[in-house]
Amino acid sequence: MEKQSRDDFESLKSGQVPLEDDEKQLSMYLARLSNFKLYSKAFALVVMVLGVSVVLGWFLNIPLLRGEFLGFPGTKINSGLTFILAGACLYLLNHNLGVKVLTISRILAILVTILGTLTLLEYITGINLGMNQLFSSIIPGNVNILGKSRLTGTFNFVLLGVALLMASYKYKVRYIQFIAFLCGFISLMGLSAYIYGASTNYILDLMVQMAFLSALMHISLSVGILCLYPDRSYMGRITAQTSGGYMARRLLPAALVAVFILDVLITIGQRFNIYSKQFGDVFGIIITLAFLTTVIIWNAKILNRMDRQRQESNLKRLNLKKFYETLVEGINEGIWVADRDDRLYFMNRGMEEISGVKTQNMEGLHILDDLPDSSTGQLKEYYRRAKETLQPVYYDSISVTSPTGIKSYQSGWIIPQLNDGKFNGAICTVIDQTPRRNAEKALMKSETFYRTIFENTGTATIIVRDDTIITMANKRCESLSGYLVDEIENKLSWMDFVHPDDREKMGTYHNLRRDPWKNVTPKEKGKNVTPEEKGKSAPSEYEFRLLNKNGEERQIMLSASVIPGTTDSVVSLLDITQRKNAENEVKQSLDEKELLLREIHHRVKNNMQIISSLLNLQRSYIQDEEADNLLQESQGRVKSMALVHEKLYQTDDLARINVAEYIRSLSMNLFHSYTVNPGIKLTLDVGDVYFNIDTAVPLGLIINELVSNSLKYAFCDQDDGEIHISLKETDESGVYHLKVWDDGVGFPSDLDFNNTNSLGLKLVNTLVNQLDGEIDMVDDGGTGFHIIIQEQNYKERVKPSNGDDEL
């Protein structure tokens, strides 16, 4: 099949294949060649069948089989057998031949040539070489019958035998077809001699005579040889898909067959005396001219139609060419084309932009010789490889410098074009990779920059995929984990380093960081409830326990965030084991100091309780009422201070106490200390206030003095009454408003509380000043004190001076 395809396209060399880019025209042409090959096989079979018929006619003595009818002489047995040999040779040549079969066909051609040559020598020299008796001797009862071919047939056998031998070597097809044409016309002349009539008075008339069946077989053999190579030489011009080929295929049958038949009919008319010979000659000429005129006009009509179709095809081809040219010019990629001599003859606009040179300035440039190796050496190597291998070659990001000095990085294909299996130029596609290379360099620089940062962050840093696999780790991870970086990257999960008790928390945070809305219900989403508001978002920093390669536990502070546009997260791991240990030590120390401080407050409170008890014991030995009152007041003051220390060691915060609870406890103790009528009530209005000891002790003493004074003097003649205590922060931060009020008998009108001999009121004024406050008394249906105080900041008791400690 492959050899047949090569044979079908042999006409490429002679230019007989249609030039249009038309698959239909090409298909018609190839079908015509195939038909002509079939004609060659058919004529070979016809020659063999008629040759067998002649031989059988001699063996069976049947004149009709020998061609003896209507006065025509029969074909000789030598001719019949020679035709069988020639027909078999032609039939074999029409097939894909192996070495052995090809050898047989050449032997047959040689035998045909030898038989014809020997017979021709007998005619020329008159020497009997035994050709008459060669095959006739084998015919029963016809020993003395002449068997050699006639002179004209013998001459044809010599020529056709040579033509068949040349055909077996495919040598000089033009000469083979010339011999076939010559033998065909000679055979036609021998056939015509009997049809038109030939005189026996002339030697030439006798020489051209040929048996009717022999003439038909010679013509068939000649036509078969002509059709053996229908795409070559003279036959190639006839079978070509061109106007000339079309006319040849129409005019030749008309000229050879129709004119011959018309002339035969005219001759027959003369023999039957229908008209004279002179009229017959004139009538033959007129009929022939009329017939040829008709054929030419008919062919002209068909050729005109073919020309119109060809013009339409050319127009379509031109439109298609323009379309592809526009398409090629519109491509952003560069395209250049070289011919089979390696010379550039086309560049599209994209290539002009890449190179900075116009096509007309580059046209005719030799790709391999005219471009310097220093700037296009790599491109030349790929071009040579494509030219040598005849296969498309891909090149990627090679450096090329144009004749104008523009340097670029190019990628593309070099596609060789083939003609008859040989290099016929190349098409090269070019993609300008310079922006990509610049971007790659910038990316590499950026990667180097960020890799340097990544390696020198001061902490162990990793990049984690959404499946928890660590894709990158810096060198600090080695000392932290005990693994080499190569053992970590793309091999280990960061969960492999997490303490088992922390893995669930870590996994939850890992998932929430990639899908923070996971725990927010659709209803909550409709209300624009964010994960942060719901408290279900992953913290950016938290602590966990890490187990290194040796199973050692480390305390780690983790900072994590998702890289924008990805599901990967960057994680920094700070070893805080030493800090945590130090914190634990400090916490333990603080716990110990807190316990000691509570114990101090407890003991101070106990000591003051002892003092209060001593004062109370001393009162039992005092008979003087005034002295008893003084001891009782002193006892109350001691209790108020003891109560502060009691509240301090009972609270969680040793530095501050709850003022509301302190005032309530202090007031209840005072009500208990003084025998108060049950109708006297206490009302407290104290906000959520916390004071330190520096503020609480003076405040307690002030309240102690004012409430004690009310209990002793305000309700002497009353069975019921109310004492009201209020403490609220003002609009100014750190400034408080204290109100102590009763609805008793009130202060004497002539008493100035700022200038009194009362120790209690003097103490109140002193304590108010200590709290940077102010005090006013309101006498309106009772007695009320409005006091503005400020919370006192802690003051250092110990100040270093000149290296010495001062208390």
Side-chain angles (χ1 to χ4, degrees), residues 389-410:
T389 62
L390 301 180
Q391 296 294 326
V393 174
Y394 179 75
Y395 61 96
D396 184 33
S397 295
I398 64 173
S399 177
V400 177
T401 303
S402 70
T404 58
I406 298 177
K407 184 176 181 180
S408 61
Y409 292 93
Q410 300 177 3

Side-chain angles (χ1 to χ4, degrees), residues 494-506:
W494 75 327
M495 302 299 283
D496 295 335
F497 303 102
V498 179
H499 192 281
D501 295 341
D502 293 339
R503 286 177 183 169
E504 183 178 357
K505 174 186 72 174
M506 299 281 282

Side-chain angles (χ1 to χ4, degrees), residues 544-738:
F544 77 98
R545 288 167 291 176
L546 178 143
L547 297 177
N548 63 15
K549 187 176 183 179
N550 298 324
E552 298 172 349
E553 182 178 316
R554 312 292 295 176
Q555 294 289 334
I556 303 297
M557 172 60 74
L558 176 147
S559 298
S561 61
V562 177
I563 300 174
T566 71
T567 57
D568 297 347
S569 57
V570 57
V571 181
S572 296
L573 306 172
L574 179 62
D575 188 355
I576 59 172
T577 305
Q578 292 182 353
R579 192 187 79 182
K580 292 293 288 186
N581 292 338
E583 287 178 356
N584 291 334
E585 291 177 1
V586 172
K587 184 178 180 182
Q588 183 178 359
S589 176
L590 289 175
D591 289 343
E592 293 174 354
K593 289 178 173 60
E594 182 179 343
L595 180 61
L596 180 59
L597 189 56
R598 289 182 188 278
E599 183 63 23
I600 291 173
H601 281 299
H602 184 67
R603 292 192 179 188
V604 170
K605 174 254 184 184
N606 287 343
N607 290 337
M608 288 185 173
Q609 284 290 92
I610 293 172
I611 294 172
S612 177
S613 298
L614 291 174
L615 291 173
N616 189 48
L617 182 61
Q618 186 66 43
R619 287 177 59 197
S620 65
Y621 294 98
I622 300 294
Q623 300 299 324
D624 183 42
E625 183 177 355
E626 183 178 355
D628 183 66
N629 288 335
L630 291 174
L631 290 176
Q632 186 178 14
E633 290 175 358
S634 298
Q635 186 181 7
R637 295 182 185 113
V638 171
K639 284 184 177 181
S640 69
M641 290 186 290
L643 186 58
V644 171
H645 290 280
E646 181 182 359
K647 293 299 180 182
L648 283 173
Y649 77 72
Q650 289 178 348
T651 186
D652 293 333
D653 187 357
L654 291 172
R656 305 171 73 82
I657 66 171
N658 189 320
V659 176
E661 293 182 1
Y662 171 59
I663 293 176
R664 183 179 292 105
S665 299
L666 177 62
S667 302
M668 294 307 298
N669 284 337
L670 290 173
F671 269 70
H672 180 71
S673 298
Y674 294 92
T675 304
V676 179
N677 193 314
I680 307 302
K681 297 181 180 179
L682 174 67
T683 303
L684 297 178
D685 184 12
V686 181
D688 189 16
V689 180
Y690 290 82
F691 284 158
N692 56 31
I693 192 170
D694 290 340
T695 307
V697 170
L699 177 66
L701 291 172
I702 291 171
I703 294 174
N704 178 78
E705 294 299 327
L706 296 177
V707 173
S708 297
N709 195 53
S710 294
L711 290 174
K712 288 193 297 182
Y713 303 114
F715 306 106
C716 295
D717 297 329
Q718 294 180 212
D719 294 334
D720 55 7
E722 179 182 3
I723 298 174
H724 179 83
I725 303 173
S726 173
L727 179 65
K728 296 293 181 64
E729 187 174 12
T730 64
D731 294 337
E732 185 179 354
S733 178
V735 178
Y736 295 83
H737 185 195
L738 172 66

Side-chain angles (χ1 to χ4, degrees), residues 182-403:
L182 177 63
C183 292
F185 281 109
I186 291 175
S187 303
L188 184 61
M189 185 172 62
L191 179 64
S192 301
Y194 285 102
I195 294 176
Y196 290 107
S199 173
T200 57
N201 299 324
Y202 302 96
I203 297 175
L204 188 59
D205 286 8
L206 295 174
M207 289 177 61
V208 300
Q209 290 181 2
M210 186 180 295
F212 178 77
L213 203 56
S214 297
L216 289 180
M217 285 190 285
H218 275 296
I219 293 172
S220 298
L221 187 59
S222 299
V223 174
I225 293 174
L226 286 172
C227 294
L228 183 60
Y229 299 113
D231 57 342
R232 307 283 290 276
S233 192
Y234 303 115
M235 290 301 295
R237 300 170 189 175
I238 296 173
T239 59
Q241 190 70 9
T242 60
S243 300
Y246 182 84
M247 289 191 65
R249 292 191 296 276
R250 297 301 186 277
L251 292 177
L252 279 177
L256 295 176
V257 178
V259 173
F260 178 78
I261 293 175
L262 286 174
D263 204 19
V264 169
L265 293 176
I266 291 172
T267 302
I268 292 174
Q270 292 176 359
R271 289 181 179 179
F272 284 98
N273 295 318
I274 298 175
Y275 41 76
S276 66
K277 181 179 182 306
Q278 292 77 6
F279 179 82
D281 293 338
V282 173
F283 183 67
I285 293 172
I286 298 301
I287 291 297
T288 302
L289 291 175
F291 177 78
L292 291 177
T293 301
T294 303
V295 171
I296 290 173
I297 294 174
W298 175 61
N299 277 275
K301 177 182 178 181
I302 296 177
L303 288 176
N304 289 335
R305 185 173 68 245
M306 289 179 63
D307 287 340
R308 286 195 300 270
Q309 293 175 351
R310 191 180 301 278
Q311 289 172 0
E312 293 174 358
S313 177
N314 286 338
L315 182 60
K316 291 180 181 179
R317 183 168 60 85
L318 289 174
N319 291 335
L320 188 62
K321 181 182 178 182
K322 290 180 180 179
F323 170 76
Y324 282 116
E325 286 178 352
T326 304
L327 183 64
V328 170
E329 290 294 342
I331 295 176
N332 291 329
E333 298 179 3
I335 297 177
W336 57 264
V337 184
D339 60 19
R340 68 186 198 178
D341 296 323
D342 306 322
R343 293 193 175 276
L344 184 70
Y345 69 87
F346 174 77
M347 290 195 317
N348 72 341
R349 185 174 58 187
M351 192 64 214
E352 291 179 349
E353 292 178 357
I354 294 174
S355 64
V357 185
K358 296 295 183 180
T359 300
Q360 54 266 29
N361 297 330
M362 297 287 288
E363 191 171 355
L365 187 72
H366 198 281
I367 299 298
L368 299 177
D369 296 338
D370 295 340
L371 295 175
D373 292 339
S374 58
S375 60
T376 58
Q378 287 181 287
L379 182 63
K380 290 182 180 180
E381 291 178 8
Y382 287 107
Y383 184 87
R384 289 191 183 96
R385 188 187 307 171
K387 184 176 180 179
E388 292 170 0
T389 62
L390 301 180
Q391 296 294 326
V393 174
Y394 179 75
Y395 61 96
D396 184 33
S397 295
I398 64 173
S399 177
V400 177
T401 303
S402 70

Side-chain angles (χ1 to χ4, degrees), residues 4-66:
Q4 182 66 35
S5 298
R6 288 199 302 267
D7 291 341
D8 290 342
F9 285 99
E10 280 292 323
S11 56
L12 283 169
K13 298 179 180 178
S14 57
Q16 306 300 336
V17 171
L19 297 177
E20 293 87 1
D21 300 327
D22 192 336
E23 291 292 334
K24 181 179 179 181
Q25 295 291 327
L26 180 61
S27 177
M28 292 172 60
Y29 173 72
L30 295 178
R32 186 178 304 116
L33 296 184
S34 179
N35 290 337
F36 271 77
K37 296 286 284 185
L38 290 176
Y39 299 156
S40 180
K41 294 179 185 178
F43 281 116
L45 291 174
V46 168
V47 171
M48 285 191 291
V49 169
L50 292 178
V52 170
S53 173
V54 169
V55 172
L56 290 176
W58 285 104
F59 271 91
L60 301 177
N61 196 21
I62 302 176
L64 183 62
L65 294 180
R66 298 193 298 263

